[in-house]
Each structure stands twice: as C-alpha cells, then as structure tokens.
Amino acid sequence: MRLPALLISMTLSCAAAAQDYQPAFDPSRLKGPATGPVNEIMVLGSPHLAHLPKTFQTSSLAPLNDRLAAWKPQAIAVEDRSGPQCDFMRRYAARYQEAVDGYCWDTAPARAATGLDVPQATAEAERLLAAWPAAPSAAQRRRLAAVFLAGGEEASAVVQWLRLPNAERRAGDGLDEVLVARLQKLAVHPNESVAIAAQLAARLGHERVYAMDDQTAGRPYADRKAAGEAIMKAWDNPANAKRKKEDEILDRGVDTPEGLLAMVRAYNSPAHVAASFEIDFGAALNEPSPQRFGRAYVGYWETRNLRMAANIRDVVGVMPGTRLLVIVGASHKGYLEAYLHQMHDVRVVDTAALLR
C-alpha cells in the first residue's frame, strides 16, 4: 500500500518543481551586437479605426502621424496577413476557410490583369525591388502596385499608388480599371494599415510595408456555441465593465485630433496593457468549463502573437540595424513587446515619449 502513496508524493513533488523551475538561460540579458547599429522596434497599439464611432475622420490622425514620422522609422510592419500566408491557407481550406474569408483578399482580379499568381507575384516584387531605381518612373510604380496586388499585398500596393502624382494614378502597366478602382477605394479606407502605415510609408519614401499578422494558430472548436458562451461568461468581469466606461469617454473625443491622440495614448499605457490581460486572457485562462475552452483560446492567442513576433523579427533580421515601427491592435502590444524583448538583436522602444 505504500507504493501508490510514494508515487503520488513523487508526482506532486515533480509538479511543484516544474512550477518553481526558472531557466538559467535568458536571451533578453544577452543583447548584442557589441558594435554597429542596433535594431529598434516600436510597437504602437492602435484602435481598429474601422470600428470607431462614425464621428471619426482620418484627418484626425494628423498629429499622430506627425509624431510617428518624426521618429523616422526605416520600415513599417502592419497587422495584415501576407499574400503567401493567404495562399497557403487557401490550400488547406478545410481548416482555414473561415480565416481566408475574413482576412484574405481574392487576388483573382489582379491575376487576370497581370498573369501572375501569388508565388509568381511575390518573386516578381522581390526582383523589382532588388533593382529598384532611386527615381522610378510612374510606369514602374504602376507596375509594382499591380504586382503587389497580385501577390496579395494590398497595403504595399497602396504605398506605390500614393507615391504616384495624382495625374499618374490611372490604369496602365498592369493596372486595369478594376485594380484602379480597388486602389482608389483602399487609399481612403479607414483602417490603420492604410490610414496610418501606408500614408506614413509614402510620406517617408518607403516602397512597401510588411504584413506580419498570422491566422494559422489554433483549431476550430468542436462545439463553437458552448465555447463562445464559456468565454463570453469569462469576459463578464468587473475589469471589463470598467474598461467599457473608459472607452465610452474616449469614443466621444475621436472626432478631434486631440481626442484621437488621447485614445492612442491611453491604449499604449502600461495600465491598459495590464487591464487587457485581466479582462480577456487572464479571465479566459481560468474559466472553469470541463472542455477547457478558455485555455484553448489563450493557446491560440499566445501562438498567434509568437508567430507575429517571429515575422517582425524576420524583417529586421534581413535588414540589421533597422528602426522598425509596428502598428497593431492594442491587445497585442504587451505580448509583442515581451516576446520581442527576448531577442538578442532587438531593442524595444517605449511609445510614451512619442505620444506626449
């Protein structure tokens, strides 16, 4: 009778040891390089502009965009899915069709206009950029915009469109009337990938932005209704009620540049980051359903953010010494900063001074 008791004792001891163990290796304490320019990454937590009250106008972004321009990022990453990722997900429709429908633009019109599928367009964009002249012609910009659209990189196509003189924003060089209409619509769309990132990239003389989101994490719930109810119940907490009241006050000011800047300032504060965990992921982590729905949701969230961080790291990995601006939904900010801080060749830059 002693053996089971001994096994139980050993199991409990191992579990306690696993919880207490702290790895000796900490990449964040081993920063480099010893000489040369470092990689600086600033993570701007943004409201999703398309979800703001109808009183919001993109003109209210001017003070924010001025501050971001003054920081002089050399590259900009956005919360979009890359063309190659969407192409990959389309090949596994049984698992990813919902994500494709929700997050990926159908590149068929651009393929019809250019004759390029996503892999071909991706390779062609890289080829063009590798030999890109200091003063490209309007025809070259139209061609690159068409190629970006064929590759599923809409925000980068908008960058090229915005860099064209108004008189040159027309069909030709791979852009047909369908694609021109698409670019005209995208260029005024109130989302942060265009209204902040693409506008800023064009202003600073960049040729593109970098899509870094990932929608391949997690698995579909076997019982979506039950999972949704369990997680919604977890979200019904005092911290969330407090956040809703705070958001109501912030929403009233989005019709002015000062009010919008106040919202962005609040979204990037340490208090907002901490509350986002308490409201959402911390609450879900501890929701009590036998199926552990909340823990599956947190697993999806952490995996998604890890993959986003890897995509961001890859941008500066191939361009060492880069100052990179990341524009992302505010709930991602804390996770991305924490994960990026672990990287040897990354210095995370605080947004506080810029947003004053």
Side-chain angles (χ1 to χ4, degrees):
M1 296 297 291
R2 290 184 178 180
L3 184 59
L6 178 61
L7 288 174
I8 291 170
S9 176
M10 290 175 64
T11 300
L12 292 174
S13 296
C14 289
Q19 292 174 6
D20 293 339
Y21 175 70
Q22 295 291 328
F25 182 69
D26 181 357
S28 70
R29 298 176 65 86
L30 301 169
K31 294 291 186 179
T35 60
V38 299
N39 294 315
E40 296 180 276
I41 299 180
M42 179 182 288
V43 181
L44 180 77
S46 173
H48 289 309
L49 304 181
H51 299 161
L52 291 180
K54 293 181 179 179
T55 54
F56 165 70
Q57 299 292 326
T58 55
S59 58
S60 292
L61 292 166
L64 173 63
N65 286 351
D66 287 346
R67 284 167 167 77
L68 295 173
W71 191 61
K72 298 180 180 178
Q74 296 159 299
I76 302 171
V78 295
E79 191 183 344
D80 287 348
R81 280 57 51 192
S82 70
Q85 180 172 100
C86 284
D87 188 63
F88 164 80
M89 291 194 295
R90 284 191 177 95
R91 296 171 187 270
Y92 295 88
R95 178 172 171 187
Y96 296 123
Q97 191 60 53
E98 185 176 357
V100 169
D101 292 343
Y103 298 109
C104 296
W105 179 59
D106 183 357
T107 60
R111 181 174 183 175
T114 64
L116 301 173
D117 63 15
V118 172
Q120 291 169 334
T122 301
E124 177 65 2
E126 292 176 355
R127 185 190 72 80
L128 290 172
L129 288 170
W132 198 244
S137 67
Q140 287 175 306
R141 291 203 182 281
R142 283 191 293 269
R143 171 63 178 168
L144 184 53
V147 170
F148 274 139
L149 286 174
E153 303 288 341
E154 289 187 292
S156 290
V158 174
V159 173
Q160 289 302 312
W161 186 252
L162 293 175
R163 296 203 65 186
L164 284 165
N166 287 333
E168 297 289 355
R169 294 178 187 174
R170 57 173 175 79
D173 308 293
L175 290 178
D176 62 12
E177 296 296 341
V178 172
L179 297 186
V180 167
R182 178 67 180 172
L183 286 168
Q184 289 172 332
K185 182 178 179 181
L186 284 170
V188 296
H189 190 63
N191 71 41
E192 50 273 22
S193 295
V194 169
I196 301 176
Q199 291 282 350
L200 187 61
R203 175 177 176 176
L204 295 172
H206 299 183
E207 303 300 346
R208 63 169 304 171
V209 296
Y210 295 86
M212 58 79 188
D213 194 9
D214 185 284
Q215 289 292 337
T216 62
R219 303 289 189 281
Y221 290 107
D223 189 340
R224 295 189 61 171
K225 183 175 182 295
E229 290 173 350
I231 293 170
M232 290 293 289
K233 186 176 180 181
W235 289 344
D236 184 11
N237 56 62
N240 204 354
K242 181 182 177 185
R243 167 69 62 79
K244 288 177 180 177
K245 291 180 180 178
E246 293 170 346
D247 284 348
E248 287 175 4
I249 295 171
L250 291 171
D251 283 349
R252 293 177 201 147
V254 298
D255 59 338
T256 68
E258 297 79 9
L260 186 67
L261 188 59
M263 173 179 280
V264 175
R265 193 179 291 124
Y267 277 23
N268 284 270
S269 68
H272 193 279
V273 171
S276 294
F277 174 79
E278 184 179 1
I279 290 165
D280 193 343
F281 316 108
L285 187 64
N286 292 296
E287 74 84 16
S289 65
Q291 300 92 334
R292 303 186 179 105
F293 290 127
R295 289 175 65 180
Y297 164 69
V298 173
Y300 145 79
W301 181 253
E302 290 188 315
T303 302
R304 180 182 172 195
N305 282 282
L306 283 164
R307 290 176 178 166
M308 291 167 79
N311 291 336
I312 294 165
R313 179 64 180 94
D314 189 46
V315 174
V316 296
V318 298
M319 299 186 295
T322 296
R323 175 175 283 195
L324 174 68
L325 172 65
V326 177
I327 301 171
V328 70
S331 57
H332 294 277
K333 177 183 170 73
Y335 287 86
L336 292 183
E337 288 189 338
Y339 296 153
L340 290 166
H341 177 62
Q342 294 295 307
M343 311 298 174
H344 300 300
D345 193 11
V346 168
R347 307 298 191 278
V348 177
V349 178
D350 189 7
T351 58
L354 180 141
L355 294 174
R356 283 183 191 141

